[in-house]
């Protein structure tokens, strides 16, 4: 009897021990924060470019907060998780991380202490970075201004609050095979493929996720979700009609394209970063993404021509659509009915992808909060109407836009969506080109 | 006929429902504080408050405003009896040509009503849609700080941001 208990106890201890060792990794030795002089200037500069293409700041720099000091709250289906402080502060940042620790975090999603990181951090992409690029990124982050800022606690639902469980996620979704160029494709395409898959992690938002939060490899670039915004498909499955090619994508990714418009929502930060990246890299990304869109679809081309040339459709006796038209004529038409005479407007709203979206949310978010250009920056600007239009008026407007500028069925209940979105915070303002604080204290 | 609630009074206006609020304010109601700047919602000279939120009156047809509470700069005080925010603009001499100021005051008003002691960052963030081409920004921010209930506001010196 007693012997039986002992055996059970031993088995339990063994299982727990095994579980702990395998749900975690060994801690790596802390180092003294490396000195600035230990990094080569050119390497730091290259790291800065890579960090811009990788869009590190979107998750690691809080709105109006110090660069890379973390604290950005990300809503996920599993709860709220916070971007961490990746400045070289020895206590609250990664100042004591050796390159080996940084590399393990980037490639395996395990921090210096051996804890699993959550895959909101896209290490499943970064695993494919070259050693040289990882070294440049390390040189870049370790030479930032150290900021003492404790990252807030995550608020994840049980059992997702157990970090060790990410081990199983890694079995399912972590592909750490190095990036291999496709010999049948051009060097430019391969460079784009590398940048997109290993660094820019476009699929993190533009590929739908499985129930367990992994990118669905059977639906690559079929469209997904980005912090509540619809991230449209980056392939032929897009419902939008205006075709994309490498040239249009290059323009869009750097600033604005006159046949599609510009980026809004979380994508605005991406394009603001890419505007600073080397031309050749942005063009390579565009070439790779354009290859997923494929050749323009003839059926779509005909549908678009019909939409662009048709007169305003007959609204029948639909009172809601008529009210929506009144809102459009009174509020929107001054800019949007000028046939692109006003800078940064497309010729016809039928060219905007968001009107073809499965939900009115993207359109409504723009109508509510407008489009802002960073202070000191140059780009599209649109006033928001959250304070001046009612949810009913916004819902009517969305119904009218869908009926007027697309040939798709109406959205189910845009007014309810407008009411829901109106009560949500606007989200972070675009990162200013000149930080307001620096501007203010310089006086 | 359109019925509008402006500065606490109900006004009947003989205007087509698609007329922008700015035109009605200036031409029918002789409330000339709000200015026509760009007519495209880009400059903020026409800013008024609607149910306490800032709005570009050049882009809002009066037909959409039934039952909404409209406040213009005239609703905050008069030249003889300026309101506290208007007095702060006077004290800080926060105008050069003055064309943007009614809009600036109204946008600032909606901030202070909701947040009586905003930080400098919050002021800059909130005011950013309104443009001033004279370069009076520092004094405008100082005026908003003076009108706020921030303790250090009373110590604010002209232009010292």
């Amino acid at each position: 009897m007693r012997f039986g208990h002992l055996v059970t106890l031993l088995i339990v201890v063994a299982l727990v021990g095994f579980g702990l060792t395998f749900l975690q990794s060994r801690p790596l030795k802390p180092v003294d924060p490396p000195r600035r002089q230990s990094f080569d200037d050119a390497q730091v500069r290259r790291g800065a470019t890579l960090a811009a293409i990788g869009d590190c700041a979107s998750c690691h720099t809080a709105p109006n907060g110090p660069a890379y000091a973390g604290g950005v709250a990300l809503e996920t289906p599993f709860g709220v998780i916070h971007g961490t402080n990746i400045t070289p502060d020895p206590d609250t940042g990664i100042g004591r991380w050796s390159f080996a620790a940084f590399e393990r975090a980037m490639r395996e999603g395990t921090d210096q202490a051996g804890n699993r990181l959550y895959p909101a951090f896209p290490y499943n992409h970064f695993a494919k970075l070259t050693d040289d690029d990882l070294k440049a990124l390390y040189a870049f982050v370790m030479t930032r201004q150290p900021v003492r800022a404790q990252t807030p606690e995550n608020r994840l639902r049980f059992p997702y609050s157990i970090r060790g469980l990410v081990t199983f996620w890694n079995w399912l979704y972590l592909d750490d095979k190095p990036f291999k160029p496709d010999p049948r494709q051009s060097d430019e395409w391969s460079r784009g493929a590398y940048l997109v898959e290993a660094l820019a992690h476009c699929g993190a938002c533009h590929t739908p996720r499985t129930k367990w939060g992994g990118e669905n490899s059977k639906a690559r670039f079929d469209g997904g979700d980005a912090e509540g915004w619809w991230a449209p498909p980056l392939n032929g499955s897009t419902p939008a009609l205006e075709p994309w090619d490498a040239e249009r994508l290059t323009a869009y990714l750097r600033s604005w394209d006159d046949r599609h418009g510009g980026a809004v929502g979380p994508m605005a930060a991406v394009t603001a970063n890419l505007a600073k990246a080397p031309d050749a890299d942005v063009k390579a990304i565009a070439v790779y993404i354009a290859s997923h869109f494929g050749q323009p679809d003839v059926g779509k081309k005909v549908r678009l021509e019909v939409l662009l040339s048709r007169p305003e459709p007959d609204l029948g006796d639909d009172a809601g659509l008529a009210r929506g038209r009144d809102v459009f004529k009174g509020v929107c038409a001054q800019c949007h009915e000028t046939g692109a005479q006003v800078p940064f407007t497309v010729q016809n709203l039928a060219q905007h992808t968001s009107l073809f979206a499965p939900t009115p949310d993207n359109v409504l978010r723009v109508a509510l909060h407008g489009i802002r250009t960073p202070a000191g920056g140059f780009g599209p600007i649109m006033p928001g109407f959250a304070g001046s239009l009612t949810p009913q008026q916004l819902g009517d407007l969305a119904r009218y836009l869908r009926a007027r500028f697309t040939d798709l069925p109406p959205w189910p209940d845009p007014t309810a969506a407008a009411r829901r979105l109106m009560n949500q915070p606007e989200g972070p303002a675009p990162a200013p080109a000149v930080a307001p604080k620096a501007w203010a204290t310089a006086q | 006929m359109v019925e509008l609630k402006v500065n606490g009074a109900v006004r009947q206006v003989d205007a087509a429902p698609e007329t922008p609020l700015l035109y009605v304010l200036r031409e029918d109601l002789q409330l000339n504080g709000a200015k026509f700047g760009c007519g495209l919602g880009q400059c903020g000279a026409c800013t008024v408050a609607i149910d306490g939120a800032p709005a570009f009156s050049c882009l809002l047809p009066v037909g959409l405003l039934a039952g909404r509470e409209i406040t213009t700069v005239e609703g905050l005080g008069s030249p003889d009896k300026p309101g506290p925010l208007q007095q702060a603009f006077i004290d800080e001499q926060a105008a050069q040509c003055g064309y943007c100021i009614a809009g600036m005051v109204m946008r600032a008003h909606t901030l202070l009503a909701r947040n009586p002691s905003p930080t400098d960052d919050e002021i800059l963030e909130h005011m950013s849609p309104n443009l001033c081409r004279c370069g009076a920004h520092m004094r405008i921010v100082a005026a908003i700080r003076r009108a706020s209930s921030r303790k250090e506001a009373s110590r604010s010196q002209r232009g010292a941001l």
Side-chain angles (χ1 to χ4, degrees):
Chain A
M1 196 61 193
R2 221 156 242 227
F3 184 68
H5 275 304
L6 192 62
V7 169
T8 317
L9 186 70
L10 279 175
I11 290 174
V12 168
V13 167
L15 278 177
V16 168
F18 175 70
L20 285 179
T21 51
F22 125 110
L23 294 175
Q24 286 201 321
S25 290
R26 70 195 159 84
L28 294 179
K29 204 166 158 263
V31 295
D32 287 332
R35 297 157 61 91
R36 173 67 183 82
Q37 296 90 319
S38 60
F39 299 104
D40 174 51
D41 282 353
Q43 196 182 32
V44 173
R45 270 199 300 276
R46 215 161 60 79
T49 300
L50 294 168
I53 298 174
D55 197 26
C56 309
S58 275
C59 291
H60 290 288
T61 301
N64 291 326
Y68 300 109
V72 179
L74 287 170
E75 300 270 356
T76 76
F78 312 102
V80 176
I81 149 162
H82 292 95
T84 51
N85 180 350
I86 54 166
T87 69
D89 180 62
D91 303 318
T92 62
I94 62 168
R96 296 194 174 281
W97 288 31
S98 61
F99 174 70
F102 179 77
E103 182 178 26
R104 185 171 75 171
M106 293 288 280
R107 292 201 192 282
E108 298 170 30
T110 298
D111 72 8
Q112 187 199 37
N115 299 310
R116 300 280 180 251
L117 297 167
Y118 287 107
F121 169 54
Y123 57 89
N124 53 320
H125 290 271
F126 302 150
K128 297 193 172 299
L129 283 167
T130 63
D131 289 348
D132 271 1
D133 283 352
L134 269 183
K135 282 184 188 137
L137 281 165
Y138 182 70
F140 174 71
V141 290
M142 295 314 266
T143 51
R144 295 309 89 205
Q145 182 70 40
V147 178
R148 199 180 164 77
Q150 193 66 51
T151 302
E153 288 291 320
N154 294 330
R155 295 190 307 275
L156 290 163
R157 290 196 315 278
F158 185 81
Y160 309 113
S161 47
I162 305 172
R163 283 186 179 274
L165 296 182
V166 174
T167 307
F168 301 107
W169 191 95
N170 291 342
W171 287 354
L172 289 171
Y173 300 112
L174 179 59
D175 166 16
D176 54 3
K177 285 194 286 293
F179 173 79
K180 268 220 182 69
D182 183 340
R184 292 164 303 176
Q185 300 282 357
S186 69
D187 288 351
E188 191 176 40
W189 185 94
S190 289
R191 172 74 182 156
Y194 169 74
L195 290 172
V196 166
E197 303 301 345
L199 186 58
H201 61 282
C202 309
C205 295
H206 289 281
T207 294
R209 291 191 180 256
T210 64
K211 195 171 137 198
W212 302 113
E215 287 173 35
N216 184 348
S217 56
K218 292 197 187 73
R220 283 188 67 223
F221 295 138
D222 276 5
D225 175 87
E227 292 140 65
W229 290 73
W230 174 64
L234 302 182
N235 59 28
S237 74
T238 179
L241 301 181
E242 185 68 59
W244 286 102
D245 58 28
E247 196 185 332
R248 297 268 164 210
L249 276 165
T250 307
Y252 170 85
L253 288 172
R254 307 213 71 168
S255 60
W256 195 80
D257 175 57
D258 63 4
R259 289 190 77 89
H260 296 87
V264 290
M267 189 66 193
V270 176
T271 57
N273 276 328
L274 289 178
K276 293 176 260 170
D279 291 339
D281 282 348
V282 178
K283 185 145 174 284
I285 290 173
V287 164
Y288 176 69
I289 297 290
S291 75
H292 286 79
F293 278 106
Q295 289 302 309
D297 179 287
V298 179
K300 281 185 176 175
K301 191 164 171 258
V302 172
R303 283 169 57 203
L304 180 64
E305 272 167 23
V306 169
L307 287 178
L308 294 183
S309 58
R310 80 175 180 190
E312 195 178 345
D314 181 14
L315 303 179
D317 51 5
D318 189 317
L321 282 180
R323 289 195 306 266
R325 181 191 52 206
D326 290 346
V327 176
F328 182 78
K329 300 277 184 212
V331 178
C332 319
Q334 275 98 319
C335 293
H336 290 294
E337 286 277 78
T338 60
Q341 292 297 301
V342 172
F344 298 111
T345 54
V346 290
Q347 191 206 344
N348 187 302
L349 290 178
Q351 295 170 307
H352 275 322
T353 301
S354 52
L355 285 174
F356 295 80
T359 74
D361 288 23
N362 284 23
V363 171
L364 286 169
R365 283 174 193 273
V366 173
L368 280 166
H369 304 302
I371 296 172
R372 296 177 59 182
T373 288
F378 174 75
I381 173 170
M382 176 183 138
F385 294 91
S388 36
L389 295 179
T390 63
Q392 177 74 56
Q393 288 164 347
L394 285 158
D396 290 339
L397 171 65
R399 283 192 62 207
Y400 172 76
L401 292 173
R402 179 83 161 180
R404 160 98 188 266
F405 295 106
T406 81
D407 51 5
L408 297 181
W411 285 310
D413 191 351
T415 303
R419 195 165 288 124
R420 168 171 52 83
L421 292 170
M422 198 172 254
N423 296 323
Q424 282 180 12
E426 176 181 347
V434 181
K437 192 166 271 167
W439 176 65
T441 47
Q443 303 307 312
Chain B
M1 272 305 221
V2 178
E3 197 175 280
L4 289 175
K5 245 165 114 182
V6 184
N7 298 331
V10 176
R11 310 287 294 264
Q12 304 279 338
V13 182
D14 185 13
E18 61 268 28
T19 317
L21 171 64
L22 177 66
Y23 297 8
V24 169
L25 291 176
R26 293 181 59 86
E27 283 158 30
D28 296 282
L29 301 178
Q30 280 72 53
L31 296 170
N32 291 306
K35 301 287 186 286
F36 182 93
C38 64
L40 297 169
Q42 309 275 298
C43 76
C46 67
T47 305
V48 299
I50 298 197
D51 292 338
F56 298 119
S57 62
C58 73
L59 281 186
L60 273 185
V62 285
L64 298 180
L65 293 170
R68 311 289 298 270
E69 192 85 51
I70 301 158
T71 310
T72 71
V73 73
E74 292 87 349
L76 303 189
S78 63
D80 304 330
K81 274 183 108 176
L85 178 57
Q86 291 165 322
Q87 187 60 53
F89 270 71
I90 296 167
D91 292 344
E92 295 288 347
Q93 289 292 286
Q96 185 136 314
C97 86
Y99 201 78
C100 71
I101 292 302
M104 290 285 184
V105 169
M106 287 318 293
R107 184 167 290 275
H109 167 73
T110 62
L111 171 68
L112 294 176
R114 166 168 68 73
N115 175 4
S117 50
T119 64
D120 281 352
D121 279 348
E122 285 167 336
I123 294 174
L124 294 177
E125 164 81 13
H126 179 86
M127 298 303 293
S128 67
N130 282 39
L131 306 182
C132 157
R133 46 186 282 177
C134 301
H137 306 82
M138 291 304 144
R139 293 182 180 214
I140 291 168
V141 174
I144 299 168
R145 208 200 285 110
R146 178 186 280 262
S148 77
S149 52
R150 265 168 63 180
K151 286 208 175 64
E152 74 271 39
S154 54
R155 283 187 275 116
S156 90
Q157 297 295 309
R158 262 196 312 231
L161 179 70

